[in-house]
Amino acid sequence: MARSIVRNLVTGGAGFLGSHLVDYLMQSGDEVICLDNYFTGTKKNIYKWINHPRFELIRHDVTEPIRLEADRIWHLACPASPVHYQFNPIKTAKTSFLGTYNMLGLARRLNARILLASTSEVYGDPEVHPQSEEYRGSVNPIGIRSCYDEGKRIAETLCFDYQRMHNTQIRVMRIFNTYGPRMLPNDGRVVSNFIVQALQGKSLTLYGDGSQTRSFCYVDDLIEGMVRFMNSDFTGPINIGNPDEFTILKLAELVRCAINPSLTIEMKKLPADDPLRRQPVINLAKQKLNWEPCISLETGLIKTIDYFKNVL
Ligand code: NAD
Ligand code: UDP
């Protein structure tokens, strides 16, 4: 018997992760409503689907309520780069709280399943390493990252309260640092910064001494994990990320070697509250979703560098 077409609402669908998700859903034959206010997203990312009969594009800000019909809500709308979420921190907090509140209200009315793109930032500057889902985190509630970290924490809280009070079908996904094609050249996150700087022959801006760590997941792996999670019976929270941990200095060296080994590294001040270490435990994703990432940082960097070579 033919599978019935699913109506997907993707908030933040014109952004980096959202547009890759839109591609995946369109290619699987489903309907997609892409909703975005274009703060950090761009129409270019989803241009190829405009005029497609299964695709609709809505310019809308998730801090305002909206009425439409969907079976599944993928709630990604929120700036993710520290540079962008700190540009207007009050707006970021509103987007996290009111945006998630509005989308949960919509999910409740429609009896739709809703996936929240939460973040490893809910663990803050972690005292426990690596981070599993049971760890409750160490977040500074009044720092420059709080609008985002605490915003996502209250967004998670709202999801679980909607589940407890209204039986809303929630999926809470904690995404660890993800990179790949369609990050903006001025995104401000480390992978795109280093690649763009190296391609332009500039020194790489290393914040602090570069001993802080992150674990980088290539976007295709991430989207596969996201789709498996939405299709599963598991509510979460669940970590989705690549457990291979690198210092930021090592990342700078990898990018420099791949593009131009003669480039220099310029040390800059470490921003306040910058987490020292970050690495996901992904046992839950392996067990519940039979998922683990398969693209190494070296391979993913080459794909991302190729993308930026075309863009710049
Ligand atoms: P992004 O900035 O590229 O995409 C965010 C999208 O949301 C953009 O298209 C932006 O215009 C849109 N948006 C922002 N505020 C909005 C609002 N008020 N109303 C409507 N649209 C709005 O970021 P991304 O990397 O694609 O991240 C997507 C989601 O995944 C975010 O929720 C982010 O917190 C989460 N996440 C991403 C990462 C990562 O490493 N990429 C890590 C953890 C969590
Ligand atoms: N970083 C850096 N140079 C840059 C941008 C970022 O050294 O040009 C560092 C940053 O201080 C942090 C790490 O790289 O320690 C990851 O930063 P990003 O903004 O990508 O993500 P997040 O801190 O939110 O994990």
Side-chain angles (χ1 to χ4, degrees):
M1 205 174 73
R3 183 178 73 94
S4 56
I5 291 184
V6 178
R7 287 169 305 175
N8 295 281
L9 169 64
V10 180
T11 76
F16 163 49
L17 296 182
S19 65
H20 284 276
L21 175 65
V22 166
D23 287 353
Y24 188 108
L25 298 172
M26 287 300 294
Q27 279 152 9
S28 61
D30 286 331
E31 284 181 14
V32 174
I33 304 169
C34 172
L35 184 156
D36 208 293
N37 71 349
Y38 305 119
F39 174 47
T40 51
T42 153
K43 262 192 190 172
K44 264 192 230 155
N45 286 340
I46 32 97
Y47 198 69
K48 63 173 173 291
W49 301 117
I50 290 173
N51 293 327
H52 191 290
R54 283 186 283 103
F55 183 79
E56 266 177 74
L57 183 58
I58 301 177
R59 182 185 202 116
H60 179 78
D61 192 307
V62 289
T63 59
E64 301 291 337
I66 189 166
R67 287 177 80 91
L68 39 76
E69 311 305 316
D71 306 306
R72 287 182 167 192
I73 302 173
W74 309 75
H75 179 40
L76 279 70
C78 183
S81 159
V83 174
H84 292 136
Y85 72 61
Q86 287 163 16
F87 174 74
N88 182 344
I90 297 169
K91 174 71 193 211
T92 301
K94 279 178 73 180
T95 295
S96 281
F97 176 73
L98 285 178
T100 305
Y101 171 74
N102 286 330
M103 288 306 128
L104 281 162
L106 186 63
R108 180 187 174 198
R109 180 175 70 80
L110 300 172
N111 200 18
R113 187 175 290 184
I114 178 167
L115 181 148
L116 171 71
S118 184
T119 171
S120 54
E121 293 278 326
V122 298
Y123 302 124
D125 189 3
E127 299 126 325
V128 171
H129 191 74
Q131 296 80 50
S132 71
E133 292 82 354
E134 295 91 62
Y135 178 49
R136 292 182 184 178
S138 168
V139 173
N140 174 3
I142 57 167
I144 57 170
R145 297 176 81 100
S146 320
C147 58
Y148 184 74
D149 303 6
E150 297 288 18
K152 291 288 186 177
R153 286 170 70 97
I154 191 69
E156 288 198 8
T157 307
L158 277 173
C159 286
F160 280 89
D161 284 332
Y162 265 78
Q163 184 195 43
R164 282 185 285 258
M165 284 189 71
H166 304 303
N167 256 327
T168 308
Q169 294 179 62
I170 57 157
R171 300 285 180 272
V172 174
M173 169 169 174
R174 293 184 179 153
I175 302 172
F176 283 65
N177 296 65
T178 302
Y179 68 99
R182 301 196 197 145
M183 294 182 92
L184 293 173
N186 70 348
D187 180 274
R189 283 176 279 188
V190 68
V191 175
S192 47
N193 267 13
F194 284 174
I195 292 177
V196 170
Q197 288 160 351
L199 288 175
Q200 292 177 338
K202 297 181 181 160
S203 351
L204 309 193
T205 53
L206 187 69
Y207 302 163
D209 63 5
S211 61
Q212 71 272 32
T213 69
R214 295 293 187 272
S215 307
F216 298 98
C217 187
Y218 188 68
V219 59
D220 292 357
D221 279 336
L222 193 283
I223 298 298
E224 179 63 35
M226 187 181 274
V227 172
R228 284 190 194 202
F229 181 38
M230 183 62 123
N231 290 337
S232 77
D233 292 329
F234 187 58
T235 290
I238 197 164
N239 289 342
I240 301 283
N242 190 319
D244 291 343
E245 186 185 10
F246 293 83
T247 65
I248 299 302
L249 179 60
K250 176 73 184 167
L251 175 73
E253 277 160 4
L254 286 174
V255 172
R256 191 164 62 155
C257 285
I259 298 176
N260 179 356
S262 68
L263 291 173
T264 54
I265 291 178
E266 183 191 345
M267 300 269 204
K268 293 212 161 192
K269 197 169 166 284
L270 189 70
D273 292 338
D274 200 284
L276 205 60
R277 300 181 298 177
R278 193 182 284 150
Q279 182 188 29
V281 174
I282 59 162
N283 295 343
L284 212 49
K286 286 184 188 166
Q287 279 167 25
K288 301 277 183 191
L289 315 179
N290 193 23
W291 175 88
E292 63 182 310
C294 55
I295 300 165
S296 69
L297 181 59
E298 288 80 357
T299 307
L301 280 180
I302 291 169
K303 290 170 187 271
T304 313
I305 291 168
D306 284 346
Y307 167 79
F308 278 109
K309 274 184 185 160
N310 281 325
V311 166
L312 293 175

